[in-house]
């Protein structure tokens, strides 16, 4: 268990975090009974704030847990997260300012709002909204897995650990729900800046100490080739993973929410262009998966405490625990803990925007503005606790598996959203058909790739010369073919506008 | 005449900005160029530090494109 001084630091910082969450309500004051004010902070965030807010979505449990865990257990191929982060903003810096402009003009809150008017299709918009909500759920689930792993390492060895960990988790989510209800995106943004400051300092400290005391040479010694670099047969898997992830990031509703909160397209473009720098911390965290091999006490702790299949989840907390002194460990652990909470709040807010704007409003078009905001606030709480419930009902590994599927699912909305930003000539029925074909084949190929057992991989083996490819790439290709062929066939029947 | 000049420079602006944006994609998409261990930096294989370096380079290329476009290309 972490020494008392560490726990104390953790608790004090958590209190500051909660204070910031509530204080957000007063920051850049606006009428929070309007959905645009509550969920987009009134569209007045500067380039620097948007940089932090969108970057905050990068330092999530995906970065702390999923990537280092996989580098640790599988090897260099999971370093694909680095080229992914390097290039994703090259797409965002052009696509998002464009979406921002139409959204500001017409009062859009979500990407589905845009899809609805661009293709004049209510059904397509509802479909995109449902896909967005579903793809976000396991992402929130993954955040919870990350928070549980920190609590587990921090409190390891005490009696009734499971009960204490579960109670702390539920309590934190109640507090999160309450301040998100009152402060909306303003609270999430203030706490995001706080969290990232803590995380960046922690990562720098661990890297410096680990390099001085262990060093890369010692960590790599004895590891097989697949840890030094990817193998020649993994080349196609590598590019398909990183390019598709780069395309997927801005299809996630929470990334759209962050982008639309900017005050102008120009400042949004500048902040996006500088976001690759945010990935440096992500790259260093991925290397924790290697550095831990050089720290024998951390490695022994992992081997003695956890079974092989779940060991990876605890790599980052364990390395921090055995590298930094107790107070600094408490500091870093709090960073990771709220590194799960903050994105969870942004994600649940973006789900509730979709639910309110694109599903409830379609059923009750006469809903007043304050009624709309209230619906979104209540929906946010419901979505947060669905995710919590999910983690308690199903085994932990299940949410990691579903998170893998989330990326494949959200990619299928690319034709409607990204191609929609360039053209409105695509046929709406073809877009719907393509989306459904992509989803169906995506799930089917996941089953085939995992031999109809528990999902552990998103790579489908093609043959011995190509190697394997990311299923998201294959499913998106099928989707695009349906959309393009369908739109071509429908072209002669297109009504003049 | 002057309108031609604006059209020309608008076009060269778009081309420049497109090239600046695409360079990091192309560099990283040619995966076999960095699938190797040597030269190492401080014990870190080439594969890792080369891609880490590209985070900085990508930000530089994207920022250049963003500034150019914001300055001369409108919103």
């Amino acid at each position: 268990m972490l020494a008392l001084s560490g726990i104390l630091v953790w608790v004090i910082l958590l209190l500051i975090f909660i204070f910031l969450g509530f204080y957000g309500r007063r920051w850049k004051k606006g009428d929070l009974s309007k959905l645009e004010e509550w969920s987009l902070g009134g569209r007045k965030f500067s380039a620097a704030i948007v940089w932090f807010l969108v970057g905050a979505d990068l330092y999530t449990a995906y970065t702390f847990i999923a990537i280092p865990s996989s580098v640790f257990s599988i090897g260099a191929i999971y370093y694909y997260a680095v080229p992914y982060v390097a290039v994703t903003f090259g797409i965002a810096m052009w696509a998002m300012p464009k979406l921002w402009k139409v959204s500001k003009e017409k009062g859009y809150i979500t990407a589905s709002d845009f899809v609805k008017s661009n293709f004049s299709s209510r059904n397509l918009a509802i479909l995109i909204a449902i896909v967005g909500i579903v793809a976000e759920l396991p992402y929130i689930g993954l955040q919870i897995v990350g928070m549980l792993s920190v609590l587990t390492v921090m409190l390891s060895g005490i009696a009734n650990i499971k009960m204490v960990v579960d109670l702390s988790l539920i309590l934190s989510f109640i507090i999160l729900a309450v301040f998100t209800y009152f402060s909306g995106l303003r609270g999430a943004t203030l706490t995001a800046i706080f969290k990232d400051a803590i995380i960046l300092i922690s990562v720098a400290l661990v890297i410096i100490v680990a390099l001085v005391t262990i060093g890369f040479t010692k960590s790599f010694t004895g590891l097989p080739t697949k840890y030094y670099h990817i193998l020649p047969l993994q080349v196609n898997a590598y590019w398909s993973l990183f390019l598709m992830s780069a395309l997927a990031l801005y299809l996630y509703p929470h990334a759209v929410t962050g982008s639309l909160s900017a005050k102008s397209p120009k400042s949004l473009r500048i902040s996006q262009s500088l976001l690759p720098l945010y990935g440096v911390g992500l790259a260093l965290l991925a290397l924790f998966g290697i550095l831990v091999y050089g720290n024998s006490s951390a490695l022994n702790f992992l081997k003695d405490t956890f079974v092989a299949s779940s060991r990876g989840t605890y790599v980052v907390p364990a390395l921090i625990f055995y590298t930094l002194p107790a107070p600094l460990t408490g500091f870093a652990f709090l960073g990771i803990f709220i590194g799960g909470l903050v994105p969870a709040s942004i994600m649940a807010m973006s789900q509730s925007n979709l639910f309110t704007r694109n599903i409830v409003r379609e059923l009750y078009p006469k809903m007043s503005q304050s009624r709309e905001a209230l619906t979104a606030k209540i929906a946010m709480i419901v979505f947060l606790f669905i995710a919590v419930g999910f983690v308690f009902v199903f085994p932990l590994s299940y949410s990691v598996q579903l998170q893998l599927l989330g990326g494949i699912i959200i990619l299928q909305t690319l034709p409607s959203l990204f191609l929609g930003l360039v053209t409105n000539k695509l046929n709406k029925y073809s877009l719907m058909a393509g989306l459904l074909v992509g989803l169906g084949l995506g799930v089917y190929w996941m089953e085939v790739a995992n031999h109809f057992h528990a999902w552990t991989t998103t790579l489908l083996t093609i043959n011995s010369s190509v190697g394997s490819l990311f299923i998201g790439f294959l499913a998106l290709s099928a989707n695009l073919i349906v959309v393009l062929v369908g739109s071509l066939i429908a072209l002669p029947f297109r009504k003049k506008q | 005449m002057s309108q031609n000049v604006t059209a020309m420079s608008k076009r060269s602006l778009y081309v420049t900005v497109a090239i600046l944006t695409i360079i990091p994609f192309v560099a990283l998409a040619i995966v076999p160029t960095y699938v190797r261990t040597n030269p190492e930096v401080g014990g870190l294989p080439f594969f890792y530090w080369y891609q880490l370096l590209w985070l900085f380079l990508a930000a530089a290329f994207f920022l250049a494109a963003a500034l150019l476009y914001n300055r001369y290309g409108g919103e």
Side-chain angles (χ1 to χ4, degrees):
Chain A
M1 186 187 149
L2 185 61
L4 195 63
S5 60
I7 305 268
L8 212 61
V9 170
W10 193 91
V11 171
I12 291 169
L13 288 171
L14 185 68
L15 292 176
I16 298 177
F17 166 79
I18 295 169
F19 167 77
L20 284 174
F22 281 102
Y23 175 77
R25 178 184 166 73
R26 299 165 174 278
W27 183 56
K28 294 181 184 284
K29 216 167 163 69
D31 178 5
L32 289 172
S33 68
K34 293 198 177 93
L35 186 55
E36 191 183 29
E37 285 290 341
W38 179 72
S39 69
L40 294 183
R43 303 187 207 256
K44 49 189 164 198
F45 290 165
S46 68
I49 294 173
V50 173
W51 191 78
F52 263 112
L53 181 58
V54 177
D57 296 333
L58 274 186
Y59 285 126
T60 73
Y62 174 80
T63 317
F64 304 125
I65 307 299
I67 294 296
S69 148
S70 304
V71 169
F72 170 79
S73 54
I74 297 164
I77 187 168
Y78 277 89
Y79 202 63
Y80 82 82
V82 173
Y84 144 46
V85 171
V87 298
T88 189
F89 304 107
I91 301 166
M93 67 184 283
W94 303 113
M96 288 299 123
K98 205 161 177 181
L99 183 64
W100 190 97
K101 267 187 278 178
V102 255
S103 303
K104 168 84 176 181
E105 209 174 286
K106 307 201 172 153
Y108 299 159
I109 301 277
T110 67
S112 280
D113 286 342
F114 163 75
V115 168
K116 181 183 166 190
S117 78
N118 196 51
F119 296 109
S120 9
S121 172
R122 200 173 75 160
N123 292 336
L124 180 62
I126 294 177
L127 197 58
I128 301 275
I130 294 172
V131 171
I133 292 172
V134 171
E136 262 337 329
L137 268 181
Y139 216 146
I140 303 181
L142 182 71
Q143 307 309 318
I144 300 170
V145 173
M147 293 161 65
L148 287 174
S149 80
V150 167
L151 289 175
T152 306
V153 173
M154 186 164 92
L155 302 172
S156 76
I158 65 165
N160 302 325
I161 176 155
K162 175 118 180 57
M163 203 185 76
V164 178
V165 165
D166 288 354
L167 270 180
S168 330
L169 185 86
I170 290 173
L171 195 66
S172 336
F173 265 85
I174 292 173
I175 296 168
L176 179 76
V178 173
F179 82 59
T180 309
Y181 183 96
F182 286 113
S183 308
L185 195 68
R186 289 173 168 83
T189 308
L190 271 192
T191 50
I193 297 173
F194 178 67
K195 128 189 183 280
D196 288 342
I198 295 181
I199 286 164
L200 291 175
I201 295 171
S202 311
V203 172
L205 284 175
V206 175
I207 280 288
I208 293 168
V209 176
L211 285 186
V212 171
T213 56
I214 315 165
F216 282 119
T217 314
K218 187 181 167 206
S219 305
F220 274 103
T221 306
L223 292 181
T225 316
K226 65 174 185 175
Y227 284 93
Y228 283 83
H229 53 68
I230 60 169
L231 304 174
L233 210 54
Q234 292 175 317
V235 166
N236 290 318
Y238 199 75
W239 67 252
S240 56
L241 271 171
F242 92 73
L243 283 178
M244 289 304 117
S245 306
L247 285 172
L249 180 62
Y250 279 83
L251 297 168
Y252 273 109
H254 62 263
V256 172
T257 299
S259 306
L260 294 187
S261 69
K263 67 174 180 194
S264 76
K266 285 189 178 183
S267 69
L268 176 58
R269 186 171 295 116
I270 297 288
S271 71
Q272 303 294 325
S273 74
L274 284 171
L275 272 163
L277 295 179
Y278 225 111
V280 175
L282 177 146
L284 297 177
L285 278 161
L287 290 172
F288 278 24
I290 304 278
L291 281 169
V292 75
Y293 283 106
N295 187 319
S296 49
S297 10
L299 205 58
N300 287 335
F301 166 76
L302 288 172
K303 283 185 175 155
D304 295 345
T305 323
F306 308 106
V307 292
S309 59
S310 74
R311 216 169 269 161
T313 313
Y314 303 93
V315 161
V316 171
L319 187 63
I320 293 173
F321 187 89
Y322 286 98
T323 307
L324 298 181
L328 286 175
T329 300
F331 177 83
F333 277 9
L334 189 273
I336 299 186
F337 187 75
I338 62 177
L341 273 178
V342 177
S345 127
I346 303 175
M347 288 166 190
M349 250 187 284
S350 62
Q351 283 179 309
S352 74
N353 285 343
L354 287 170
F355 177 75
T356 310
R357 255 303 162 92
N358 307 108
I359 298 176
V360 177
R361 195 174 252 301
E362 293 302 341
L363 301 174
Y364 305 99
K366 292 195 180 113
M367 184 164 54
S368 72
Q369 276 207 331
S370 59
R371 194 59 183 244
E372 184 183 42
L374 184 67
T375 309
K377 290 173 187 176
I378 293 169
M380 175 276 300
I381 297 179
V382 173
F383 284 125
L384 270 185
F385 283 94
I386 288 178
V388 175
F390 188 84
V391 172
F392 281 108
V393 174
F394 296 102
L396 280 191
S397 58
Y398 209 80
S399 50
V400 179
Q401 289 175 31
L402 279 179
Q403 152 70 7
L404 295 175
L405 187 67
I408 297 171
I409 290 178
I410 202 72
L411 261 179
Q412 307 314 319
T413 63
L414 181 139
S416 305
L417 185 57
F418 281 176
L419 296 186
L421 284 171
V422 198
T423 174
N424 58 4
K425 295 207 164 45
L426 297 170
N427 175 267
K428 57 187 177 187
Y429 300 109
S430 314
L431 285 167
M432 283 186 241
L435 176 65
L436 295 175
V437 166
L439 290 177
L441 281 176
V443 173
Y444 172 71
W445 279 324
M446 279 295 276
E447 291 286 5
V448 173
N450 293 289
H451 310 287
F452 299 89
H453 286 99
W455 293 340
T456 51
T457 181
T458 49
L459 297 172
L460 184 68
T461 309
I462 308 295
N463 58 39
S464 57
S465 60
V466 176
S468 47
L469 281 166
F470 175 47
I471 291 168
F473 171 71
L474 298 168
L476 178 61
S477 308
N479 177 345
L480 282 171
I481 291 170
V482 172
V483 171
L484 296 178
V485 170
S487 299
L488 271 179
I489 294 172
L491 208 54
F493 306 104
R494 208 166 169 266
K495 273 181 264 169
K496 288 226 163 64
Q497 287 187 342
Chain B
M1 179 65 197
S2 71
Q3 226 163 13
N4 269 346
V5 172
T6 337
M8 274 289 282
S9 55
K10 220 19 168 217
R11 197 162 143 206
S12 55
L13 172 75
Y14 290 150
V15 173
T16 315
V17 159
I19 292 174
L20 285 171
T21 307
I22 290 167
I23 288 172
F25 283 84
V26 175
L28 287 163
I30 314 172
V31 181
T33 53
Y34 53 87
V35 181
R36 51 199 171 103
T37 308
N38 291 311
E40 293 187 352
V41 170
L44 188 64
F46 182 82
F47 180 79
Y48 291 95
W49 67 255
Y50 176 77
Q51 295 180 78
L52 184 58
L53 184 67
W54 264 104
L55 289 172
F56 294 94
L57 296 176
F61 281 112
F62 293 161
L63 181 66
L67 288 173
L68 272 177
Y69 190 82
N70 280 359
R71 177 97 168 74
Y72 300 107
E75 283 204 318

